[in-house]
Amino acid sequence: MTLLGYHHVAVIASDYQRSRTFYVETLGFAVLAENYRPERQSWKLDLALPDGSQLELFSFPAPAPRPSRPEACGLRHLAFRVANVADTKARLEARGVVVEDIRTDPYTDRRFTFFPDPDGLPLELYEDA
């Protein structure tokens, strides 16, 4: 068996339109497809980044909240590669996103920071080599 990489990450949003705006307009994901599934009362939005990685955004009636941030069992956070953490942090803050202070990874010496999506999902900016 040979895994080739990640195809996508799936996120369930409590407010579909608010999260759609955040991922498309604030973070700059491209919309690949958007479908409403009436049998599930659910939207499914397929999004992509320039490197081909994808994110699926779902809505469901009354989804359960995330138990804690970020130490709940399961997915801890989603990290995005960026060319410059400080520049990206400043752009997000100009759009009203609260971003933590920049830290340096003691093992790789690369800069990183965290910010939440509209539902509090921890997202990370990690400076590319």
Side-chain angles (χ1 to χ4, degrees):
M1 175 176 75
T2 303
L3 300 177
L4 300 177
Y6 288 103
H7 181 266
H8 68 271
V9 172
V11 173
I12 297 173
S14 66
D15 180 325
Y16 177 75
Q17 288 301 329
R18 178 182 68 174
S19 290
R20 185 190 193 285
T21 298
F22 179 79
Y23 283 98
V24 173
E25 295 179 17
T26 302
L27 296 185
F29 277 84
V31 174
L32 298 176
E34 185 171 30
N35 296 287
Y36 184 71
R37 304 171 311 166
E39 71 284 0
R40 300 188 79 183
Q41 300 177 340
S42 170
W43 283 97
K44 179 180 183 285
L45 178 64
D46 297 317
L47 302 168
L49 289 173
D51 72 353
S53 57
Q54 296 181 24
L55 186 139
E56 293 177 340
L57 183 65
F58 290 94
S59 69
F60 289 103
R66 182 177 171 86
S68 70
R69 182 191 178 274
E71 284 75 26
C73 186
L75 180 67
R76 182 173 179 156
H77 62 266
L78 175 59
F80 299 108
R81 289 182 297 129
V82 297
N84 185 294
V85 168
D87 290 348
T88 307
K89 178 182 188 295
R91 288 189 195 115
L92 287 171
E93 289 172 333
R95 297 189 67 113
V97 177
V98 176
V99 183
E100 294 180 5
D101 291 338
I102 295 172
R103 295 180 263 169
T104 301
D105 184 319
Y107 302 107
T108 65
D109 206 32
R110 294 197 187 147
R111 298 186 307 165
F112 69 98
T113 188
F114 288 92
F115 63 100
D117 87 342
D119 286 309
L121 175 67
L123 303 176
E124 180 182 1
L125 301 175
Y126 195 84
E127 200 158 81
D128 209 6

